[in-house]
Amino acid sequence: LALRSLCSLKLPTIVEYVVPLLRSGIKDSSSYVRKTAAMGLARLYRISPETYNAGRWTQALHSMLTDREPAVAINALNTLNEVEEENGGVKPEAKTVVPLLKRVREFNEWNQCTILALAATYQPSNQQEMFGIMNHLDPLLKHSNCAVVLATTKVYLNFTRNLPKVHFSVIQRLKVPLLTLMSSSSEELSFTVISHLKILVSRAPDIFADDHKHFYCRYNDPACIKKIKQDVLVEIGSGKNASELINELSEYITDVSPEIARQAIRSIGKISVKIEDVVDEGIELLLSFLDLGTDYVTAETCVVLMDILRKFPDRYEDVIPSLQKVLQTVDASEGRCAVVWLIGEYGETIDDAPYILETLIDNYNDEQSSTVRTELLTATMKLFFKRPPELQKMLGRLLDQAISDSNQVDVRDQALFYYRLLRHDPHEAARIVNCEKVKVSNFAEAEDHEIRDQIFEEFNSLSAIYQMPSVKFTTYRPPEIKDPTEAPNSPTTSTASNTIASPLSSNNPAGTSPPITQIKTETPLEVKQTTAEVKKTVPPPAIDILASLADDTPVVVDNGGNQQQQQQALTPKPKLAPQLYKKKWGALPKTTVLTAVLKTPVPGVKQIVALFRKNHIDTVASGAKGGLMKFYFYAQSVSVVSFCVRASPNPLSTTRKNSWLTPPSILCDDVRLRIQVFFLVEANLHIESGKYAATIKCENKALLSDFEGAMKGVLATIS
């Protein structure tokens, strides 16, 4: 008790008194004193890392791993994990892992989880050793504690990941204990186990195909368990059980939860798309749901039928007649999109198709969904070329309203594109818009193997619960490296701790200690908006800006009226505050991923930051931890662009005859605009292997190639 109390005092002045006590404590005859001394070494490391390293305590802790008392050994292991945290924890060596595994059953269940977590990172030297460890751990699969079973499961899976036949045999062995745990009376434990089972089912669905009834939803299951069970039923669907599965899923349509009912409809559609033998039976079931008269059921059914027709377009004769009676009653935006798509694709077989679209066109301003508006534009164009007399005036009114839509730019751009296409050549427009239907082979959701592999690598963690890689819900916080050449008001970094802070992280929640690394930032960068300067001189020859709708690259006009592509160059000293970096990173989609392998040993963090800064790519945060370097780069491109704008107050005025084909009146102005584009990069560099991977986001994809070239140039100098 005295040793524990003394070590708990976080005062550097007591270090000289604590060290002799710890040295005698780790050799004491009492196991209670030894285990207290082991934890005291962790506190010593927090107070004075230099004293800890000078005393060579790590070797003493390694010797304590073989202590006859389990409490002493586990405390030594926990202390080593804390001391070696920056290097990824205790190094998984045979002399460390094997002795602990041999006596793993002597420890309590939570300490067993700690040892099994270390064993999961260990790679046996040969198959004989691997099978010996697995046989020794086999009794743990019957443990009543879910955490122990899942930790043992991860050890088995990691040991056999490079042996496919053994790997699937292991999954077969793990099936029974996991299914048993899934039937637990605790809903929380049941959800945890079935979340991990879903990962195994995705890797080996045939192994679980005969046990599909274990995943049927019970009436008293909570919604979260019902959802994940339906996902598993879709995964294990095969030719043998598909018919039984879709009939079981059809029973969930009447569930009190609308979300469960909608997911059941989607699951029936996925199985029907996945297994062609039951597509007719699936369509029949889906069409029967339309008679229920429930809004959300009808809308979801239309969406699913649309996906089925994308995969099996020849089945439209079975679907369209039954859909005609509900097409005008769908309210949900997703359902309206599906209905409009069906009308555009198969409108020639639907008698009332033009009049259904006319209702939507007349109520265009009341439609808030941009997705429905863009789908309405496409469907009206397609049906126009199939039934032109009925659609001509409707199409003109729709294009007029869409081009005047200043709130939704994507809708306006699509309408302008269609308008110019019709002006250019109606026959060519018909060939482009009404092209031959391409049969969809696989949907993107079913082919996302990369994410599944990442989740499998993080088995027995929150990734399995959230069904997403840890990078999606955690934040790595690298420290800012201060550049001595910068001004005093540049971002600075405190080096008082190894805690790492990132511009992408949010503020610390209440009750937690704030990150030690504090970044002092400049005033957030304000985007300067310059008023367009209109020259009073005679304007140069007009350039139709609509002709370049598909080109995002800025167009420059010289004094002679000639078009030129603006060459983009990176700003020598870009400026971007961490707060603005975080905001832009969350708003921009991932554009591309750049990978490379650098020559080892790689330079230090400061050297790499300096190399990128020399090439006008600055760093908002950077650091190294656990064998991994992390960088948050950004670059800026600013250019002044001149172009001639053609404008018309109402390019599709309905007062003119055939207004949808009438060229608008032209007003020419020479306009100069200042365009500012940011490039954001999140890069990882493995120190040992030299593997470099960078996720790049930018505000203009047309300029991405130049920036990629700059990045590759810097990497070439590092290599």
Side-chain angles (χ1 to χ4, degrees):
L1 182 60
L3 181 60
R4 175 184 296 176
S5 302
L6 190 61
C7 291
S8 298
L9 299 175
K10 299 180 180 180
L11 301 174
T13 55
I14 68 168
V15 171
E16 58 180 315
Y17 305 105
V18 171
V19 171
L21 295 176
L22 290 175
R23 197 169 298 280
S24 61
I26 62 176
K27 300 177 182 180
D28 197 276
S29 58
S30 172
S31 61
Y32 189 82
V33 175
R34 294 199 302 275
K35 77 169 187 176
T36 304
M39 296 305 296
L41 289 173
R43 296 188 176 99
L44 174 64
Y45 179 77
R46 295 177 196 167
I47 299 172
S48 177
E50 297 80 8
T51 304
Y52 174 89
N53 294 327
R56 298 182 179 180
W57 294 105
T58 300
Q59 293 86 338
L61 287 170
H62 274 285
S63 64
M64 295 176 71
L65 293 176
T66 59
D67 194 283
R68 63 181 181 274
E69 181 61 35
V72 177
I74 199 64
N75 279 11
L77 179 60
N78 289 330
T79 300
L80 283 171
N81 276 327
E82 183 170 340
V83 171
E84 300 292 336
E85 182 181 4
E86 292 186 359
N87 299 323
V90 179
K91 189 175 181 180
E93 297 177 336
K95 62 182 180 180
T96 303
V97 176
V98 175
L100 290 172
L101 288 177
K102 287 182 178 180
R103 51 185 298 204
V104 67
R105 278 174 278 183
E106 299 177 11
F107 297 84
N108 64 39
E109 53 196 17
W110 302 115
N111 294 339
Q112 287 176 356
C113 292
T114 303
I115 295 172
L116 291 171
L118 174 62
T121 62
Y122 174 66
Q123 192 61 39
S125 57
N126 52 60
Q127 291 191 20
Q128 182 178 358
E129 181 186 5
M130 178 188 71
F131 287 120
I133 294 175
M134 291 168 61
N135 289 333
H136 184 72
L137 297 179
D138 189 70
L140 296 182
L141 294 175
K142 302 175 184 178
H143 204 287
S144 59
N145 190 305
C146 169
V148 175
V149 176
L150 290 177
T152 307
T153 299
K154 184 172 183 178
V155 174
Y156 277 46
L157 295 175
N158 286 0
F159 278 7
T160 60
R161 73 175 77 184
N162 297 324
L163 303 170
K165 292 183 179 180
V166 181
H167 190 71
F168 286 104
S169 299
V170 163
I171 295 178
Q172 181 73 41
R173 171 67 185 89
L174 297 170
K175 178 178 69 173
V176 175
L178 291 177
L179 289 177
T180 303
L181 281 175
M182 188 187 72
S183 305
S184 170
S185 58
S186 170
E187 295 173 353
E188 292 80 4
L189 290 181
S190 180
F191 178 77
T192 300
V193 175
I194 196 174
S195 298
H196 287 81
L197 269 171
K198 182 182 176 182
I199 301 174
L200 300 183
V201 169
S202 66
R203 294 180 72 85
D206 295 339
I207 293 177
F208 295 87
D210 295 334
D211 300 282
H212 58 274
K213 292 185 178 180
H214 285 85
F215 301 100
Y216 284 178
C217 298
R218 296 178 293 187
Y219 75 95
N220 58 347
D221 281 340
C224 59
I225 292 181
K226 288 181 179 180
K227 287 181 181 180
I228 199 167
K229 280 186 174 181
Q230 290 188 43
D231 291 338
V232 174
L233 289 176
V234 173
E235 291 284 352
I236 63 179
S238 63
K240 296 179 180 179
N241 59 20
S243 179
E244 188 176 350
L245 291 181
I246 62 175
N247 281 286
E248 173 66 21
L249 289 166
S250 66
E251 299 294 329
Y252 308 151
I253 304 302
T254 56
D255 194 275
V256 293
S257 170
E259 182 57 36
I260 297 301
R262 283 194 288 263
Q263 186 177 3
I265 297 173
R266 291 194 295 268
S267 299
I268 293 174
K270 290 177 181 178
I271 294 176
S272 301
V273 168
K274 178 181 175 183
I275 304 165
E276 188 172 358
D277 294 341
V278 296
V279 65
D280 293 326
E281 186 177 356
I283 290 175
E284 184 179 353
L285 274 174
L286 291 169
L287 293 177
S288 68
F289 300 155
L290 300 176
D291 298 330
L292 296 177
T294 309
D295 294 340
Y296 60 84
V297 171
T298 302
E300 197 64 44
T301 301
C302 291
V303 174
V304 171
L305 287 172
M306 177 188 70
D307 289 338
I308 291 178
L309 290 179
R310 290 172 64 195
K311 180 72 178 290
F312 306 104
D314 55 323
R315 299 297 206 285
Y316 79 94
E317 294 180 354
D318 302 328
V319 176
I320 298 302
S322 300
L323 277 177
Q324 291 192 52
K325 58 185 178 182
V326 299
L327 291 180
Q328 299 186 31
T329 61
V330 179
D331 293 329
S333 59
E334 297 85 358
R336 289 201 301 275
C337 282
V339 167
V340 172
W341 181 87
L342 289 167
I343 293 174
E345 293 294 331
Y346 305 101
E348 67 275 14
T349 64
I350 304 175
D351 296 336
D352 297 335
Y355 309 105
I356 298 173
L357 290 182
E358 185 176 25
T359 303
L360 295 172
I361 293 171
D362 292 340
N363 299 322
Y364 179 86
N365 292 327
D366 298 332
E367 179 58 61
Q368 301 299 320
S369 172
S370 61
T371 308
V372 176
R373 289 186 176 188
T374 54
E375 193 63 56
L376 181 60
L377 277 169
T378 303
T380 306
M381 280 286 290
K382 289 183 177 181
L383 196 57
F384 167 73
F385 293 112
K386 298 173 182 177
R387 303 168 71 166
E390 300 168 277
L391 268 294
Q392 178 176 346
K393 292 183 179 180
M394 295 183 197
L395 180 60
R397 294 203 309 272
L398 178 60
L399 289 175
D400 188 9
Q401 295 180 85
I403 291 178
S404 303
D405 187 357
S406 59
N407 295 326
Q408 297 176 339
V409 180
D410 53 341
V411 178
R412 180 177 180 274
D413 288 348
Q414 184 173 344
L416 283 170
F417 173 75
Y418 285 151
Y419 172 70
R420 290 192 56 77
L421 193 61
L422 290 169
R423 281 185 54 199
H424 174 69
D425 187 348
H427 299 288
E428 187 68 13
R431 186 187 68 81
I432 294 173
V433 175
N434 274 351
C435 58
E436 183 180 357
K437 297 180 182 66
V438 178
K439 182 177 178 180
V440 176
S441 57
N442 288 299
F443 290 93
E445 295 84 355
E447 295 295 317
D448 205 351
H449 298 298
E450 182 179 351
I451 291 181
R452 293 187 180 188
D453 291 340
Q454 291 177 13
I455 297 175
F456 177 77
E457 292 293 330
E458 298 169 356
F459 193 88
N460 194 27
S461 68
L462 284 176
S463 297
I465 305 298
Y466 295 151
Q467 294 296 314
M468 63 178 68
S470 60
V471 294
K472 299 285 187 179
F473 59 88
T474 60
T475 307
Y476 183 79
R477 306 181 173 204
E480 177 79 9
I481 304 298
K482 183 178 179 181
D483 187 353
T485 62
E486 291 182 353
N489 61 346
S490 299
T492 59
T493 303
S494 172
T495 57
S497 172
N498 291 327
T499 304
I500 298 176
S502 155
L504 305 184
S505 60
S506 59
N507 294 332
N508 292 317
T512 60
S513 58
I516 301 300
T517 301
Q518 302 292 339
I519 301 179
K520 298 180 180 179
T521 61
E522 297 175 301
T523 303
L525 180 65
E526 296 181 357
V527 179
K528 298 181 180 179
Q529 298 180 350
T530 57
T531 306
E533 300 176 358
V534 182
K535 293 184 178 180
K536 297 183 180 180
T537 57
V538 179
I543 296 175
D544 195 343
I545 194 172
L546 301 182
S548 304
L549 283 177
D551 187 3
D552 292 332
T553 305
V555 179
V556 178
V557 181
D558 59 19
N559 294 331
N562 300 318
Q563 271 191 26
Q564 296 180 350
Q565 295 293 331
Q566 175 69 25
Q567 297 296 325
Q568 301 294 326
L570 298 181
T571 305
K573 293 183 179 180
K575 294 183 179 180
L576 184 64
Q579 296 88 345
L580 188 57
Y581 185 102
K582 172 187 172 182
K583 182 178 180 181
K584 286 180 175 292
W585 183 270
L588 293 174
K590 181 172 73 172
T591 306
T592 186
V593 176
L594 179 64
T595 59
V597 179
L598 307 182
K599 185 188 299 182
T600 56
V602 296
V605 174
K606 292 184 178 180
Q607 290 82 353
I608 294 177
V609 169
L611 285 172
F612 275 94
R613 183 175 286 126
K614 185 178 180 182
N615 289 269
H616 308 158
I617 301 174
D618 216 329
T619 311
V620 72
S622 60
K625 183 177 181 181
L628 182 72
M629 292 185 184
K630 192 85 171 182
F631 304 90
Y632 291 95
F633 297 118
Y634 68 93
Q636 183 182 13
S637 174
V638 180
S639 58
V640 177
V641 180
S642 301
F643 53 84
C644 271
V645 177
R646 288 187 173 188
S648 172
N650 189 1
L652 295 178
S653 175
T654 55
T655 59
R656 296 191 297 270
K657 184 178 180 181
N658 294 334
S659 60
W660 64 278
L661 286 177
T662 305
S665 58
I666 305 300
L667 300 175
C668 298
D669 284 324
D670 185 12
V671 181
R672 297 173 61 84
L673 294 179
R674 182 176 182 269
I675 297 178
Q676 177 177 265
V677 178
F678 278 102
F679 305 88
L680 310 182
V681 182
E682 179 184 4
N684 296 321
L685 175 59
H686 290 270
I687 298 175
E688 293 184 2
S689 62
K691 292 182 179 179
Y692 175 90
T695 300
I696 302 176
K697 296 185 178 183
C698 71
E699 297 175 320
N700 190 335
K701 294 182 180 180
L703 309 179
L704 179 62
S705 58
D706 293 338
F707 178 72
E708 278 191 286
M711 290 283 293
K712 291 177 181 178
V714 180
L715 295 175
T717 60
I718 298 176
S719 301

